[in-house]
Amino acid sequence: MDKVELELGQTILLELEEECLLGELQHVGSDRSFIRLANVRDMITKETYGTQTYYNSEIRNIQIIASDKAKMQSTSLSAKNPASSTKTNQLTLEKLHDTLEQINNYVFICQTDVKYHDSIKYLKKQRLLSIAMEGIEHGRHSSSPSLLSIGTQDSIYIFDIIWMKITEEMRELLCHDRYRRVVHNGRLVKDVLQHKFGVTLGNCFDIMVAHIAIHKSTGKTLEEDYSLQACVQSYLNLPEKFFDLNVTFSDRPLSDMARKEAAKHVAFLLPLQDFFIHEIMLEPFYSSCSKYLQSLSRNPDFINSLADLRNKDCEAIEAVGPVKLGVNVELLDVGDEKNEQTDG
């Protein structure tokens, strides 16, 4: 905690052994051995605890939200080397609150009733969907796929596919080309849908593939953990304990805790995709656009700028290079779909 620049009034995201808390910094001990937070709220359960004191020995990680509530500064209290060149994009407090609201306000559907039809009607109006499934750890060999979760920019819908299977409307959302889908480790999802439900999953942006490609393109040692939890922690700087890895999705009736955990698995897919595409993959293209945009405005001479404006073959156009992704996807060495089907 000594390395963290603490100021009274800051909003603190605090990670303990079993909890993840949000609160306002009210006091720092003279020897910096403890801190006191006001308006403490559990990020997972939404319970409030008022004013609480936390000691250095029980704090695993602190994330400080700047006073303008626009930027977050993260400092790990672990013994790991904090120096890392991994590009990150911490969620603002407002975005974090919105995401937590999405998770807590999930819509759970277990039959084709009015709630189901209203949800499908809304989902059909969307174009970008996040997709996750629970109980598919072994692909087509999984004994009982449990849930299909579909997320949008502002809502999360959880379908109980043990009770209602995959309906025709859900099939359209999963297959039709009009939708753009985001998944994590999509080969498990595709395998289950194809061999358990006869559904051919359409084109998807796979978060895990992007994560691996980014690491390979930067020459980093690839960790063995490709999980969604690792991606969220690495790129969005959320605490490690944000996810509960011990939740069971096969029990019926399904607990609220399990439903919220399923909601978490789709809540961060769209923010991760946006970050990967616009902050990493298209970064060279945006850089090229920025140079072109400034090519005229940075010319202080009125006459020269007028001549440049009238010149269709100006230097700025000539300087535009070919589009290159910020990630070399060829490094992935992923076999094509035909080979996968043959192997299966």
Side-chain angles (χ1 to χ4, degrees):
M1 194 164 69
D2 292 338
K3 298 179 181 179
V4 185
E5 296 181 6
L6 297 174
E7 297 179 4
L8 300 186
Q10 289 174 326
T11 301
I12 300 292
L13 187 61
L14 199 65
E15 182 183 356
L16 307 182
E17 185 65 32
E18 299 293 339
E19 295 176 293
C20 185
L21 307 169
L22 197 68
E24 183 179 326
L25 185 61
Q26 192 176 64
H27 179 75
V28 180
S30 57
D31 57 354
R32 298 179 67 86
S33 62
F34 71 92
I35 59 175
R36 184 171 295 120
L37 301 182
N39 303 317
V40 177
R41 184 180 68 167
D42 192 302
M43 287 182 59
I44 311 302
T45 66
K46 303 281 284 187
E47 291 186 42
T48 57
Y49 303 114
T51 301
Q52 299 288 329
T53 300
Y54 301 97
Y55 290 88
N56 197 17
S57 58
E58 61 181 325
I59 299 174
R60 294 191 56 186
N61 188 66
I62 290 180
Q63 293 185 21
I64 302 172
I65 300 174
S67 57
D68 62 0
K69 296 185 179 181
K71 295 182 180 180
M72 298 175 69
Q73 175 188 9
S74 175
T75 304
S76 175
L77 299 182
S78 65
K80 295 180 180 179
N81 182 2
S84 173
S85 57
T86 301
K87 195 170 185 179
T88 61
N89 181 33
Q90 290 180 316
L91 298 176
T92 63
L93 180 58
E94 180 181 2
K95 180 60 179 176
L96 184 59
H97 279 162
D98 290 344
T99 304
L100 292 175
E101 287 298 321
Q102 274 185 262
I103 292 170
N104 284 281
N105 294 329
Y106 66 84
V107 178
F108 183 73
I109 302 166
C110 59
Q111 58 185 346
T112 54
D113 54 9
V114 174
K115 183 167 62 173
Y116 164 82
H117 290 291
D118 287 345
S119 300
I120 291 295
K121 183 178 180 180
Y122 173 78
L123 287 171
K124 283 186 174 182
K125 294 179 181 179
Q126 309 304 308
R127 287 296 176 266
L128 184 60
L129 304 172
S130 54
I131 307 290
M133 296 183 73
E134 309 302 337
I136 63 167
E137 292 79 7
H138 304 292
R140 75 186 76 174
H141 307 289
S142 302
S143 59
S144 183
S146 177
L147 302 173
L148 170 66
S149 302
I150 302 179
T152 69
Q153 295 287 0
D154 55 17
S155 303
I156 294 173
Y157 300 89
I158 303 174
F159 298 90
D160 190 331
I161 55 176
I162 287 182
W163 286 356
M164 61 185 303
K165 304 302 180 182
I166 302 289
T167 66
E168 284 302 316
E169 292 87 356
M170 293 157 62
R171 181 187 297 265
E172 180 181 348
L173 295 172
L174 295 168
C175 300
H176 204 286
D177 289 341
R178 76 164 63 98
Y179 303 106
R180 296 183 178 181
R181 290 161 287 262
V182 182
V183 297
H184 179 273
N185 197 2
R187 73 172 188 161
L188 291 178
V189 177
K190 185 176 179 67
D191 191 53
V192 168
L193 288 175
Q194 182 171 322
H195 294 281
K196 285 277 192 180
F197 299 97
V199 176
T200 301
L201 183 65
N203 289 335
C204 296
F205 182 101
D206 196 311
I207 295 297
M208 192 177 85
V209 173
H211 172 58
I212 295 172
I214 288 168
H215 272 70
K216 285 190 173 183
S217 66
T218 56
K220 295 179 183 177
T221 302
L222 203 61
E223 306 96 341
E224 293 183 1
D225 189 1
Y226 311 139
S227 67
L228 174 63
Q229 293 83 352
C231 285
V232 170
Q233 184 184 4
S234 176
Y235 295 101
L236 301 182
N237 286 317
L238 286 181
E240 181 182 355
K241 290 294 181 179
F242 185 80
F243 293 91
D244 186 350
L245 303 181
N246 298 315
V247 168
T248 300
F249 296 101
S250 58
D251 295 340
R252 292 297 183 276
L254 196 65
S255 68
D256 179 64
M257 181 181 297
R259 296 177 187 182
K260 287 182 179 178
E261 201 62 31
K264 293 178 192 176
H265 294 169
V266 290
F268 297 101
L269 293 180
L270 297 186
L272 280 170
Q273 185 218 31
D274 184 81
F275 175 66
F276 285 155
I277 291 178
H278 296 288
E279 299 295 331
I280 298 179
M281 294 180 174
L282 289 181
E283 193 278 332
F285 176 70
Y286 281 128
S287 178
S288 180
C289 289
S290 179
K291 291 178 181 178
Y292 178 75
L293 290 174
Q294 298 175 41
S295 63
L296 187 62
S297 62
R298 68 185 178 187
N299 189 341
D301 188 276
F302 180 82
I303 300 299
N304 288 343
S305 65
L306 182 61
D308 193 19
L309 184 63
R310 292 177 175 176
N311 184 5
K312 294 183 179 180
D313 298 320
C314 65
E315 293 181 2
I317 293 178
E318 293 295 327
V320 174
V323 175
K324 293 182 179 180
L325 286 178
V327 173
N328 186 356
V329 292
E330 293 181 357
L331 291 172
L332 280 172
D333 192 25
V334 177
D336 59 29
E337 187 171 326
K338 291 183 179 179
N339 290 336
E340 289 183 1
Q341 292 178 353
T342 301
D343 294 340

